[in-house]
Amino acid sequence: ATRVGVNVGNTLMMRGNGMAKTRLISAIVAAGVIAAGVPAGIAWAGGPGGVVDEDINISRAVGTGTFIGEIDGFTAVAPTNEEASAAVLAQCNALGGVDCSVEEVTNDNLCIVSAGDPDTGEVAGGAGPTVEAAFADAAARAATTDLPFGPNAVVIISACP
């Protein structure tokens, strides 16, 4: 499990280890870039999406929480989507986060992101074969709200298979 924070002014701060929804965050919160990812390959052959042949941690979730002047991103893996989501929320809440949320969760062979716009304060999740595609998906989801992403929107945290 990982926690990454970005403070106002986009200075990267590593703070320790630690659905497709959007939510409005405080306008004073700025998001920074954490663009880590590897192009996705094939998870395994011969099975329908969402079905696993082995009992391994394959579900990934990403989410965010607000902490005194910054928004931090969290990621976790677990055997199920529900457990991965719960782990993200537990990390955020245990560290005193406000407005903790899970922006995206998947057990598919996709990259997922929590992305945000420091100008509008909007946060959204997205999924795709690459971090860039997942960010485009998050931006498209934000566009369906009253506060679409502007040109300064960035990836807060990502997780790829």
Side-chain angles (χ1 to χ4, degrees), residues 82-101:
E82 293 77 18
E83 290 173 298
S85 295
V88 164
L89 293 174
Q91 289 176 67
C92 181
N93 288 321
L95 293 169
V98 178
D99 297 327
C100 296
S101 67

Side-chain angles (χ1 to χ4, degrees), residues 2 44 47 49 58 62 67 73 78 82 85 89 92 117 119 125 127 130 135 139 142:
T2 303
W44 83 96
I58 54 106
V62 292
F67 297 80
E82 293 77 18
S85 295
L89 293 174
C92 181
D117 186 333
D119 298 330
T130 64
F135 175 76

Side-chain angles (χ1 to χ4, degrees), residues 41-84:
I42 296 175
W44 83 96
V51 175
V52 294
D53 294 329
E54 300 175 28
D55 185 19
I56 58 173
N57 292 342
I58 54 106
S59 289
R60 290 175 319 288
V62 292
T64 56
T66 305
F67 297 80
I68 307 173
E70 71 179 41
I71 185 167
D72 288 1
F74 298 88
T75 183
V77 294
T80 68
N81 286 351
E82 293 77 18
E83 290 173 298

Side-chain angles (χ1 to χ4, degrees), residues 111-142:
C111 291
I112 57 175
V113 301
S114 289
D117 186 333
D119 298 330
T120 65
E122 188 73 11
V123 175
T130 64
V131 171
E132 295 78 13
F135 175 76
D137 184 48
R141 292 175 185 189

